[in-house]
Amino acid sequence: MEILEAKVTSSGHYSVHLNWSSSLLQFKYELLCETERIYTVVQKIEGNIAEKDKWQIAYIGYGEHTVVTNLNPSQEYLFRIRFHRSDDVYSAWSPSTKAITEKEPYYGENLHDAVSQQEFQEIHNVLQSGNVKIDVPDNEGLSALMNTARQGQTEIMKILLSFNASVNAKDDSGKTALMHACIHGQLAAVKILVQNGALYEDFDLGGSAPLHHAVDSCDCDLIEWMIRNGADVNIRDKNAHWTPLMRCASLHGNKLIALTLIRNGADIDLRDIDGKTCLMIAVINGYQTLVEVLLENNANIVIYNKNGHTAYKLAMSLEKDSIIESLMKFMEKHKIECC
């Protein structure tokens, strides 16, 4: 006599496929080929079979197979069946059949959580599973490499790069991991990214290059290293045609950043799309100290913008009294007429 059983034909993360067709045929044969319809009851239990009161109905019907759903991943289940006829003739319960659901698949969220928690082994587990694309963005649209670059998590960056994370992938604003590292002044991260092919001459949707973002960080060491490593100190953005020095003159007027750029070859007298020089931009924004730094480095004070104004005329129209005084002293020293 064939043993009554429900055979496991396949299992997934949350389901198990059972088939009892051969046992059903045997049961019919024992009833002298009874033609009356026979229905099957399938019960399941999670874990230990000793817990007799834990059996639950998984299926009742006239079929020869079923897919038991709503199961937990990485969990052992036991199944048993018995057959019924309408006149209450039924079989004994079958021996239990064991099935183990598959481990839950990894998702992008698992990668970002592991990176956030700095769980090195879990990062390896997620990436080695093959289920997660390494550049999958998080809820903010950032890849794992972008997040680690902005945090300066160099060891995790190396792991991600070893799994071929895209160095020059961009977020929704067009920023690369290098740009994020520059914004946050992460020199060590910048070095790793550049060594792995990150581009200096790349631009976000706002038109800014990595060195423009490095200016935002106010990190002199970072800026100097980038320039000496090949970043163009006079690179222009794609909108206003600002150089990094012009960005400094517009954004914060940091004296040390300006001196770092000038010392490394920044051209003081370049003009933006409106014809403004760094000196004019510094005047407009009221950065007295930066104006003096630019004058000390022989900024051309007689250049006109597209509206026909010099730095001095801009200072006069904006009533920047202290800046006007600095400009007048410079003109007197160099015997330049008011312009």
Side-chain angles (χ1 to χ4, degrees), residues 6 8 86 116 120 143 160 169 181 190-191 206-207 256 284 309 314 321:
V8 177
S86 61
S116 176
F120 286 55
S143 70
L160 297 171
V190 167
K191 290 181 178 180
L256 294 178
I284 292 170
H309 299 306
L314 289 171
D321 293 340

Side-chain angles (χ1 to χ4, degrees), residues 135-258:
D135 296 315
V136 60
D138 63 9
N139 293 333
E140 296 180 359
L142 304 181
S143 70
L145 185 61
M146 293 172 188
N147 278 316
T148 52
R150 71 196 300 187
Q151 297 294 328
Q153 297 170 331
T154 55
E155 293 305 311
I156 299 180
M157 289 176 63
K158 291 175 183 177
I159 295 174
L160 297 171
L161 290 166
S162 73
F163 280 91
N164 298 318
S166 177
V167 175
N168 293 307
K170 296 189 174 186
D171 63 16
D172 292 341
S173 66
K175 291 183 177 62
T176 62
L178 178 59
M179 294 176 189
H180 283 288
C182 288
I183 291 169
H184 294 275
Q186 300 292 355
L187 176 55
V190 167
K191 290 181 178 180
I192 290 174
L193 292 167
V194 172
Q195 289 167 3
N196 283 273
L199 301 175
Y200 285 134
E201 293 194 3
D202 200 357
F203 302 87
D204 62 17
L205 296 183
S208 298
L211 190 57
H212 292 106
H213 291 298
V215 167
D216 300 357
S217 75
C218 292
D219 189 316
C220 295
D221 292 337
L222 169 62
I223 292 169
E224 188 155 28
W225 185 89
M226 290 176 66
I227 296 170
R228 292 184 178 182
N229 188 250
D232 180 2
V233 69
N234 292 311
I235 190 169
R236 294 177 178 271
D237 70 28
K238 296 296 184 179
N239 291 327
H241 295 181
W242 280 354
T243 65
L245 185 57
M246 291 176 186
R247 189 176 180 101
C248 172
S250 174
L251 189 66
H252 46 60
N254 187 295
K255 172 183 176 179
L256 294 178
I257 297 300

Side-chain angles (χ1 to χ4, degrees), residues 42-311:
V42 180
Q43 289 188 331
K44 68 176 181 178
I45 185 172
E46 182 177 329
N48 195 341
I49 194 173
E51 301 180 48
K52 301 294 185 183
D53 58 335
K54 297 296 185 180
W55 286 103
Q56 300 176 7
I57 298 295
Y59 171 84
I60 298 177
Y62 293 102
E64 298 179 351
H65 63 89
T66 190
V67 177
V68 183
T69 58
N70 299 319
L71 305 180
N72 295 316
S74 302
Q75 181 63 52
E76 178 181 304
Y77 288 88
L78 300 175
F79 299 93
R80 66 182 185 179
I81 63 171
R82 70 177 179 180
F83 302 125
H84 284 243
R85 275 177 37 187
S86 61
D87 59 3
D88 288 333
V89 175
Y90 57 88
S91 69
W93 286 108
S94 70
S96 60
T97 299
K98 181 171 73 173
I100 301 176
T101 51
E102 295 180 4
K103 184 177 181 180
E104 187 173 23
Y106 285 114
Y107 300 100
E109 182 180 353
N110 299 112
L111 174 60
H112 289 288
D113 286 345
V115 168
S116 176
Q117 299 299 319
Q118 300 187 52
E119 297 175 349
F120 286 55
Q121 187 56 54
E122 185 65 5
I123 295 171
H124 278 282
N125 293 342
V126 174
L127 295 176
Q128 288 172 345
S129 74
N131 294 329
V132 178
K133 293 183 179 179
I134 193 167
D135 296 315
V136 60
D138 63 9
N139 293 333
E140 296 180 359
L142 304 181
S143 70
L145 185 61
M146 293 172 188
N147 278 316
T148 52
R150 71 196 300 187
Q151 297 294 328
Q153 297 170 331
T154 55
E155 293 305 311
I156 299 180
M157 289 176 63
K158 291 175 183 177
I159 295 174
L160 297 171
L161 290 166
S162 73
F163 280 91
N164 298 318
S166 177
V167 175
N168 293 307
K170 296 189 174 186
D171 63 16
D172 292 341
S173 66
K175 291 183 177 62
T176 62
L178 178 59
M179 294 176 189
H180 283 288
C182 288
I183 291 169
H184 294 275
Q186 300 292 355
L187 176 55
V190 167
K191 290 181 178 180
I192 290 174
L193 292 167
V194 172
Q195 289 167 3
N196 283 273
L199 301 175
Y200 285 134
E201 293 194 3
D202 200 357
F203 302 87
D204 62 17
L205 296 183
S208 298
L211 190 57
H212 292 106
H213 291 298
V215 167
D216 300 357
S217 75
C218 292
D219 189 316
C220 295
D221 292 337
L222 169 62
I223 292 169
E224 188 155 28
W225 185 89
M226 290 176 66
I227 296 170
R228 292 184 178 182
N229 188 250
D232 180 2
V233 69
N234 292 311
I235 190 169
R236 294 177 178 271
D237 70 28
K238 296 296 184 179
N239 291 327
H241 295 181
W242 280 354
T243 65
L245 185 57
M246 291 176 186
R247 189 176 180 101
C248 172
S250 174
L251 189 66
H252 46 60
N254 187 295
K255 172 183 176 179
L256 294 178
I257 297 300
L259 287 172
T260 299
L261 291 167
I262 293 169
R263 183 170 61 246
N264 285 278
D267 188 332
I268 295 177
D269 295 326
L270 289 178
R271 289 183 281 184
D272 67 11
I273 197 169
D274 296 318
K276 299 191 302 295
T277 62
C278 292
L279 180 61
M280 294 178 191
I281 297 172
V283 167
I284 292 170
N285 287 284
Y287 293 133
Q288 170 78 27
T289 301
L290 180 56
V291 167
E292 293 176 356
V293 167
L294 294 171
L295 293 175
E296 288 169 3
N297 284 273
N298 298 314
N300 189 334
I301 197 171
V302 297
I303 294 177
Y304 292 83
N305 65 14
K306 287 186 176 180
N307 293 321
H309 299 306
T310 61

